[in-house]
Amino acid sequence: MAKFKTKARTLDLLGRQQIAGIPTAINELFKNSYDAYADNVDVDYFRVNKLFILRDNGIGMTKDDFESRWLTLGTDSKVINSKIASPPIDKSKPFRPITGEKGIGRLAIASVGSQVLILTRAKSINNHNKIVAAFINWEIFELPNINLDDITIPVKEFEILPTIEQIESMKQEVIDSLSLLVNKNEIDREPAEKIIKTIQKFKVDCLTLNKTLIDVNSDENKGFSLSRDNSGTHFYIQPVNENLNDDIDGDKKRNIATKIEKMLLGFTNTMTPNHPKPQIITAFRDYKSDDGTYSNLFDKDNFFIPEDFTFVDHHIQGEFDKYGQFSGKVKIFQENEFDHKIIWNGNSYRETQCGAFSINFAYIQGLLKQSIIDAENHNRIFAKADKYGGLYLYKDNIRILPYGDSDFDWLDIEKNRSKKASVYFFSFRRMFGVIDLKQDINFELKEKAGREGFIENKAYRQLRSILKNFFEQLAVDFFREDGGPKSKVWAEKRAEREAHYEALKKHEKRAKARKDKFQKSLNNFFDDLKNDVFARHVEKIIASLENDLNSLSYISDSEELTNAILNLEISARSQLSEYIEKIRIPIPRGFTISKDTRKDFEAYGLEFALLESGIFKDAFNKIDIYIEDISHDLHVEISKRKRLEQAVDAISTQAYQIATITERETKQALAEVSKNVAHVASELMIGLEDKIKEIKDSFKSLNINNSDDFDLVDKRKELENEILNEKNRATEIFDSITKQLQNVYFQKDNNEQIVTSDQMYDSISEELDELRERVQADIELSQLGLAVGVIHHEFSSTVKSIRSSIQDLKVWAEVNEKLEHVYKNIKINFEHLDGYLTLFTPLNRRLYRNREHIKANDIKVFLTDLFGARFERHNIQLKSTKGFSKSTLYGFRSTFYPVFVNLIDNAIYWLNESNVAEKIIRLHADDQGFYISNNGVEISPKDVEKIFELGFSRKSNGRGMGLHISREVLQSENYELYLLESPREGSSVTFKIMKKD
């Protein structure tokens, strides 16, 4: 009797060659971890070593489980009604439906790399289970002419993780088995030797890796350690298939999702609001170099999160019953919500084989001008959807591949849209959401062996047909201009958004021109202030007056001389007044200004007030003095009343002229608005009149009496609707114009000052802009805090080791003077790093530090050591006074040192930007505080307070964090940091650190 024989190549054909690619293989391994009741499954990929490690903390396997289940193809135990016992389950956790029944998912490992070391320990309650270790080289299964039972797979048991020597022993077993097959002439020597070289290159130190790899041990999750009380399975794969790098990196020139992202993101549903708690968490760390740094490929912020559903235009959620009929809610532009049903008659209203399921997805309009989402969030969601958008399909909250990949157009959504976008509204790249299936309901939907979607049986064809009908009918009902009654909501709102967007763009364009002009005026003012332009112009006016007065000595007639002097006085005063008005910058109207610009304007106000009370007031006083002097010298008596009358007449004339021009502009604007309103009103009324005439004219072509099919009611309704539509269009525009005109009002405040709607609008807009800036700053700070939190988490794991090493070094430093200086610097820098981390972490996480009396001279020595090379390179001198050298500070070194470091670092930068021949940084102290000065570039008056704001910097590529953090950290220690209005002698900038009272 003949029997089937199984060749070793069968394993390769069923495994590696069945799996679509490495991402699919990894997904399959994730599913195996889920079936093993793991809470976590992590991947660590070390590119330099070509080592891929996958660890889970599931129930693991005993030696018997490993040999009878894992090493057995097509395991029957996962098949319903199998006589073989089902796989072990973790009774302490909710039951998990099995995700695979083929028993070949483990063969996916061969797609990742050519050989693997497997370590597993089974969860035990009463008995202690050992670690089971096995070593497999998959290349052996590609060899022709050998059977499966010819291949040796060493399986060993250990109390603890195997050593390098024990792993080498397992490798040697495989090498010896290959040599035996060569000697028996069952395989050729050349391919065998090639495989042996690959085996010899397998270098994995499990004990060391177990100490260095990131763990997830917490109160909720046990870690990955395979210690006596833990269970789980680890795969060490080396060398890794070279295609994995390409699958991770993708096409860097295009902003599209990589294969890894497409297939592995969203392994469980964490995107929809109120999603079920994931039963397993995945992680993938990509170590591109050997310095310990890595990229987290599954960063949750990159993928969709529940909060994203609040930043969409439309939201559709509902259930498909067992007959394929949809019932749910459709929310259009986040305002109008409809209870909606969509009928499917593809199965003649009989029960479907695919079963009932649910859907929940969000959609954004492709164009910002058609969307209700603000520009920032629209761009953010649009970028996500463009990269990861699609309809993800989950069975029992575990993703089914390749659904969700926008390139897999299984519902012909993109195909139909390419035909006619106005008819087929939806696009995978504008939506994100899920289809939820359940194994006990949708069991007829079965995955293909290669995990390339469902087998195309009747159940799958029904599922496709139901969903294709759903999207086509949904577009007709809601998202088509000539669609059903509910589609009017979408069409009208979209048109409203477009009109609003265009109006806003026009307003922003006009406002931008005004804003640019305003900013330019501010910049010119501060430039002129810095260059003494105002003083020189005033001097020019006064000098001209003086020259003109001195030339009057030839006039002999007393009255003529008096008039000439008065005319020169009026002329000089007018020139001065006109110049003051010329450089005066009016309060911004009709546009909003940023927080920074507002501070610039406030700084301008202070400086302008100083000019008015300074050089301008002095100039007017000089005019009075010159007039009195010339009157005295020429023996002319000028009536003070006459001087006063002429001065008032001159300023009155000037004021009247300016007000007249403004009045003329206001009336012209009013006339222009009136003209435009009248023109629009006329057009609308003409349009309505023409429509009525057109309809009445159409009566002559109606064949009413001679037609049996003529329906009077329908025709009357049709004609009425045409007239009413035109009427509604006109009245809507009239209402809009009326509201705009009604919003133009004037109201006096408590000081009898007139406040206009324009001012109120500007105030509200400015407040809105400020709130947006604050939100953005808060977001950036939150992201920074999260990032530093991660840094602190990773840093804290090495803190004890660093501190212990510093203590060890201290012992040596005490007996070795040469090491003492090194020890102090290391200790201070360590505290320095801790000090910066402490700014962003809770106070109870502070590392152990002590307050102490700090000699100012120690700070100088530290600064000299730190910046000595830069001082020398840039020819900068660091000088200190005796007062500084004798002073002390009390507190943490790691509080004050970073502040001095930041101030000196800034000073070096701005000294290099200056043109001074001798660059000097001076340190001084007295009873009032500490002074850090330099003679570099001066700080502009408008920047005096802004330099302490987070994010403000005049440096190229500056982050604007140093001074802000320095001030904050000093305030926490009851100190102040500020800029002196008048720098210390010989300096252009002086910062002061002072103890608060």
Side-chain angles (χ1 to χ4, degrees):
M1 181 176 66
K3 293 184 179 180
F4 279 111
K5 289 185 178 181
T6 307
K7 291 292 184 181
R9 290 185 65 246
T10 305
L11 212 65
D12 186 54
L13 294 171
L14 291 176
R16 182 176 59 84
Q17 295 190 36
Q18 280 288 316
I19 298 295
I22 297 176
T24 308
I26 298 172
N27 176 271
E28 195 62 27
L29 293 173
F30 284 176
K31 286 185 176 181
N32 287 350
S33 296
Y34 169 83
D35 287 344
Y37 285 83
D39 296 317
N40 300 85
V41 54
D42 280 22
V43 169
D44 292 277
Y45 173 41
F46 298 89
R47 296 201 186 197
V48 175
N49 299 321
K50 296 182 180 179
L51 175 62
F52 180 98
I53 303 173
L54 184 144
R55 301 170 295 157
D56 73 39
N57 51 8
I59 55 177
M61 293 175 280
T62 63
K63 185 178 180 184
D64 182 61
D65 286 335
F66 183 78
E67 292 177 345
S68 63
R69 297 179 189 277
W70 205 90
L71 291 179
T72 302
L73 299 183
T75 313
D76 294 327
S77 60
K78 291 186 179 181
V79 180
I80 298 173
N81 299 324
S82 169
K83 293 181 180 180
I84 299 176
S86 298
I89 64 173
D90 190 335
K91 294 182 180 179
S92 66
K93 298 177 181 178
F95 174 75
R96 298 184 184 182
I98 295 169
T99 60
E101 298 175 356
K102 306 291 187 299
I104 61 170
R106 70 218 59 173
L107 305 182
I109 296 172
S111 298
V112 181
S114 57
Q115 50 195 7
V116 59
L117 171 68
I118 304 158
L119 302 179
T120 182
R121 188 197 290 272
K123 183 175 182 179
S124 60
I125 299 176
N126 299 319
N127 300 323
H128 167 60
N129 292 318
K130 294 182 178 181
I131 294 175
V132 179
F135 181 81
I136 302 173
N137 181 288
W138 300 106
E139 292 177 338
I140 299 175
F141 295 93
E142 299 176 29
L143 294 174
N145 304 322
I146 59 172
N147 297 324
L148 275 175
D149 52 11
D150 292 329
I151 297 176
T152 298
I153 297 177
V155 180
K156 306 291 183 183
E157 288 186 303
F158 302 100
E159 288 291 341
I160 61 173
L161 292 173
T163 63
I164 294 176
E165 291 76 16
Q166 289 168 331
I167 295 171
E168 288 296 322
S169 175
M170 297 171 67
K171 289 164 53 180
Q172 191 59 45
E173 280 191 51
V174 180
I175 292 172
D176 292 343
S177 70
L178 282 171
S179 299
L180 183 61
L181 290 172
V182 171
N183 294 334
K184 289 182 179 180
N185 290 323
E186 293 186 19
I187 60 174
D188 294 333
R189 182 174 299 278
E190 185 177 345
E193 289 179 349
K194 183 179 178 182
I195 293 173
I196 289 172
K197 287 182 179 179
T198 302
I199 295 172
Q200 290 171 339
K201 290 179 180 178
F202 186 86
K203 302 292 182 183
V204 171
D205 183 353
C206 301
L207 290 167
T208 301
L209 286 169
N210 186 58
K211 295 176 182 177
T212 57
L213 290 174
I214 294 173
D215 209 342
V216 294
N217 194 19
S218 67
D219 294 337
E220 296 182 359
N221 294 317
K222 63 179 183 178
F224 291 120
S225 170
L226 295 180
S227 60
R228 185 181 183 89
D229 298 326
N230 279 11
S231 62
T233 302
H234 298 181
F235 298 99
Y236 297 83
I237 303 170
Q238 186 187 54
V240 174
N241 189 320
E242 59 185 15
N243 291 328
L244 179 56
N245 289 356
D246 294 333
D247 290 342
I248 293 174
D249 297 335
D251 187 350
K252 296 181 179 179
K253 295 180 181 178
R254 301 169 61 198
N255 187 31
I256 59 175
T258 66
K259 289 183 179 179
I260 286 287
E261 290 172 330
K262 285 182 179 181
M263 296 299 172
L264 298 184
L265 282 175
F267 180 73
T268 58
N269 173 22
T270 56
M271 75 167 81
T272 56
N274 302 315
H275 61 74
K277 182 180 178 181
Q279 291 181 298
I280 187 169
I281 305 296
T282 62
F284 195 125
R285 291 176 284 272
D286 176 23
Y287 297 80
K288 294 184 179 180
S289 62
D290 57 2
D291 61 359
T293 59
Y294 62 86
S295 301
N296 183 5
L297 301 187
F298 296 169
D299 188 341
K300 67 176 184 178
D301 291 335
N302 291 339
F303 196 58
F304 300 107
I305 56 176
E307 288 77 9
D308 290 339
F309 275 72
T310 61
F311 298 104
V312 296
D313 291 303
H314 318 299
H315 185 188
I316 295 92
Q317 183 177 10
E319 308 285 336
F320 293 87
D321 63 21
K322 59 185 178 180
Y323 304 102
Q325 317 305 322
F326 171 81
S327 178
K329 295 185 180 295
V330 179
K331 200 169 187 179
I332 306 300
F333 285 115
Q334 295 289 15
E335 293 178 359
N336 302 84
E337 185 173 88
F338 299 91
D339 291 320
H340 196 64
K341 295 183 182 296
I342 292 179
I343 306 302
W344 176 72
N345 58 10
N347 200 38
S348 302
Y349 303 101
R350 297 192 302 269
E351 287 191 25
T352 60
Q353 289 191 20
C354 65
F357 60 94
S358 63
I359 191 170
N360 186 358
F361 73 95
Y363 198 88
I364 63 168
Q365 294 286 145
L367 299 176
L368 177 60
K369 67 179 181 180
Q370 297 177 350
S371 174
I372 62 169
I373 314 169
D374 63 275
E376 182 180 346
N377 281 302
H378 186 275
N379 291 337
R380 182 177 62 83
I381 299 295
F382 186 91
K384 271 191 184 183
D386 199 47
K387 196 170 185 180
Y388 308 117
L391 207 54
Y392 291 74
L393 198 150
Y394 292 88
K395 182 180 279 191
D396 295 308
N397 209 35
I398 298 297
R399 184 180 169 191
I400 306 297
L401 296 181
Y403 309 105
D405 179 358
S406 58
D407 292 335
F408 184 63
D409 192 16
W410 64 296
L411 298 178
D412 294 334
I413 283 181
E414 300 300 337
K415 177 182 176 183
N416 291 333
R417 184 173 173 81
S418 65
K419 295 177 182 177
K420 195 170 184 180
S422 61
V423 175
Y424 297 98
F425 173 76
F426 291 101
S427 168
F428 273 141
R429 288 185 170 84
R430 300 292 171 265
M431 72 170 71
F432 56 95
V434 304
I435 295 172
D436 271 324
L437 306 175
K438 304 290 182 185
Q439 176 60 31
D440 57 348
I441 297 174
N442 314 107
F443 52 86
E444 289 294 340
L445 292 168
K446 304 177 186 295
E447 286 188 79
K448 295 177 183 177
R451 305 311 191 197
E452 296 172 320
F454 289 124
I455 295 171
E456 295 183 12
N457 57 15
K458 185 175 182 179
Y460 176 69
R461 290 194 296 272
Q462 287 177 341
L463 178 69
R464 281 191 75 228
S465 178
I466 291 168
L467 288 169
K468 287 176 69 174
N469 172 74
F470 168 74
F471 281 106
E472 290 174 12
Q473 193 57 47
L474 193 65
V476 171
D477 293 345
F478 287 96
F479 304 105
R480 194 178 294 175
E481 292 184 0
D482 57 348
K486 295 177 181 177
S487 67
K488 287 185 178 179
V489 174
W490 169 77
E492 290 174 359
K493 188 67 176 180
R494 187 186 68 164
E496 177 188 322
R497 294 304 304 170
E498 287 180 339
H500 174 77
Y501 180 85
E502 294 300 329
L504 193 60
K505 280 294 179 186
K506 290 180 180 177
H507 172 77
E508 287 177 352
K509 187 177 180 180
R510 291 194 298 267
K512 185 179 183 303
R514 296 175 186 171
K515 193 181 297 185
D516 291 344
K517 183 179 179 181
F518 179 78
Q519 188 64 58
K520 186 178 180 181
S521 298
L522 282 176
N523 293 340
N524 290 341
F525 175 85
F526 285 108
D527 287 344
D528 290 348
L529 181 67
K530 181 179 178 181
N531 298 321
D532 291 330
V533 172
F534 305 134
R536 291 201 302 272
H537 193 89
V538 169
E539 289 173 2
K540 186 178 178 182
I541 293 173
I542 298 301
S544 176
L545 172 64
E546 186 178 10
N547 290 333
D548 291 341
L549 288 173
N550 290 333
S551 65
L552 295 179
S553 56
Y554 69 91
I555 300 176
S556 56
D557 183 76
S558 175
E559 186 176 352
E560 182 182 353
L561 181 59
T562 299
N563 290 333
I565 293 173
L566 289 176
N567 288 338
L568 288 176
E569 180 187 10
I570 292 170
S571 176
R573 288 184 177 277
S574 297
Q575 287 181 56
L576 195 54
S577 297
E578 288 171 4
Y579 183 64
I580 293 172
E581 289 304 316
K582 180 182 176 182
I583 66 172
R584 189 190 302 275
I585 302 174
I587 296 172
R589 292 278 186 268
F591 61 94
T592 61
I593 56 177
S594 66
K595 184 179 178 181
D596 287 343
T597 305
R598 170 62 63 185
K599 287 189 175 294
D600 286 350
F601 186 63
E602 290 171 357
Y604 150 80
L606 294 174
E607 293 298 328
F608 191 83
L610 291 175
L611 289 174
E612 285 188 308
S613 61
I615 61 173
F616 294 149
K617 183 180 179 181
D618 292 343
F620 281 117
N621 290 337
K622 279 187 178 181
I623 292 174
D624 286 335
I625 293 171
Y626 283 177
I627 296 301
E628 290 175 2
D629 287 348
I630 196 70
S631 300
H632 179 269
D633 293 343
L634 297 179
H635 308 289
V636 177
E637 185 175 349
I638 302 175
S639 169
K640 291 184 178 179
R641 177 183 293 276
K642 191 171 184 179
R643 286 182 63 192
L644 181 61
E645 288 176 354
Q646 287 200 354
V648 171
D649 287 344
I651 196 68
S652 300
T653 302
Q654 184 185 38
Y656 186 79
Q657 288 174 345
I658 294 173
T660 300
I661 293 171
T662 308
E663 180 195 26
R664 189 184 308 121
E665 290 174 350
T666 304
K667 288 181 177 180
Q668 286 176 350
L670 177 61
E672 188 69 25
V673 171
S674 299
K675 179 181 175 183
N676 289 337
V677 170
H679 179 72
V680 171
S682 176
E683 279 190 345
L684 291 172
M685 294 306 296
I686 290 172
L688 179 60
E689 185 179 349
D690 289 346
K691 176 57 71 175
I692 294 171
K693 288 180 179 179
E694 179 186 329
I695 291 172
K696 288 183 177 180
D697 187 59
S698 67
F699 288 167
K700 63 186 179 185
S701 60
L702 293 177
N703 191 0
I704 300 176
N705 298 325
N706 299 328
S707 175
D708 295 334
D709 297 330
F710 184 81
D711 191 322
L712 177 62
V713 174
D714 286 349
K715 190 62 182 177
R716 183 179 64 195
K717 191 171 183 180
E718 177 189 336
L719 297 177
E720 285 176 349
N721 284 339
E722 288 188 44
I723 295 173
L724 289 175
N725 287 339
E726 189 67 25
K727 182 269 293 183
N728 290 338
R729 174 175 169 270
T731 54
E732 284 177 6
I733 296 174
F734 280 136
D735 286 344
S736 177
I737 293 173
T738 302
K739 287 177 182 177
Q740 289 184 57
L741 294 175
Q742 287 174 342
N743 285 333
V744 179
Y745 70 94
F746 312 93
Q747 182 177 330
K748 287 186 178 181
D749 61 14
N750 295 333
N751 297 321
E752 295 297 310
Q753 298 294 317
I754 292 178
V755 179
T756 67
S757 55
D758 187 48
Q759 289 172 277
M760 296 191 68
Y761 170 80
D762 289 345
S763 176
I764 294 170
S765 298
E766 195 169 312
E767 184 179 354
L768 178 61
D769 285 346
E770 188 173 334
L771 287 172
R772 283 173 176 164
E773 288 180 10
R774 193 182 302 168
V775 168
Q776 184 60 35
D778 288 346
I779 290 171
E780 290 175 358
L781 280 174
S782 298
Q783 291 172 336
L784 183 62
L786 290 171
V788 174
V790 172
I791 293 170
H792 186 276
H793 175 75
E794 301 303 323
F795 178 75
S796 61
S797 64
T798 60
V799 165
K800 290 182 179 179
S801 175
I802 296 174
R803 189 180 296 114
S804 175
S805 298
I806 290 175
Q807 291 298 321
D808 292 342
L809 184 61
K810 180 182 179 183
V811 176
W812 288 92
E814 288 174 349
V815 296
N816 189 330
E817 291 183 2
K818 293 182 179 179
L819 280 178
E820 185 177 1
H821 184 65
V822 175
Y823 161 72
K824 284 185 177 180
N825 273 349
I826 292 175
K827 182 174 181 289
I828 290 168
N829 278 288
F830 174 68
E831 291 179 346
H832 181 172
L833 175 61
D834 172 35
Y836 273 125
L837 289 173
T838 304
L839 297 175
F840 301 97
T841 52
L843 291 176
N844 62 359
R845 292 191 188 179
R846 284 196 173 197
L847 308 181
Y848 304 116
R849 299 177 299 164
N850 296 314
R851 285 189 171 88
E852 59 181 308
H853 289 283
I854 306 164
K855 294 180 180 179
N857 205 49
D858 288 349
I859 297 175
K860 183 184 176 182
V861 171
F862 177 79
L863 295 173
T864 303
D865 289 344
L866 186 64
F867 293 109
R870 288 177 66 187
F871 288 153
E872 186 176 348
R873 185 166 65 251
H874 299 298
N875 196 25
I876 295 174
Q877 300 176 55
L878 178 65
K879 295 183 177 182
S880 62
T881 63
K882 291 182 180 180
F884 183 84
S885 300
K886 293 179 180 179
S887 298
T888 59
L889 285 162
Y890 182 74
F892 296 117
R893 287 182 183 267
S894 53
T895 295
F896 293 104
Y897 276 47
V899 174
F900 277 91
V901 167
N902 178 253
L903 293 172
I904 299 302
D905 182 64
N906 287 343
I908 292 172
Y909 178 88
W910 291 113
L911 281 167
N912 286 331
E913 293 293 309
S914 69
N915 297 318
V916 294
E918 190 178 15
K919 303 172 185 175
I920 302 174
I921 299 174
R922 292 182 173 87
L923 304 176
H924 174 64
D926 56 23
D927 295 339
Q928 302 298 317
F930 289 77
Y931 305 84
I932 302 91
S933 308
N934 70 81
N935 61 340
V937 178
E938 293 182 9
I939 295 176
S940 171
K942 65 178 181 178
D943 292 343
V944 169
E945 281 303 317
K946 289 163 67 174
I947 58 174
F948 293 102
E949 292 180 6
L950 182 64
F952 177 82
S953 178
R954 294 290 184 194
K955 288 183 181 179
S956 57
N957 301 319
R959 299 296 300 276
M961 295 176 64
L963 286 174
H964 175 80
I965 294 174
S966 295
R967 175 179 268 190
E968 291 292 314
V969 75
L970 285 176
Q971 285 180 346
S972 68
E973 292 296 322
N974 206 33
Y975 280 84
E976 286 186 51
L977 172 66
Y978 60 93
L979 183 73
L980 291 185
E981 290 184 11
S982 302
R984 285 179 54 80
E985 185 179 354
S987 301
S988 54
V989 175
T990 298
F991 286 93
K992 183 176 181 179
I993 298 172
M994 184 178 71
K995 182 78 173 177
K996 292 182 181 178
D997 294 333

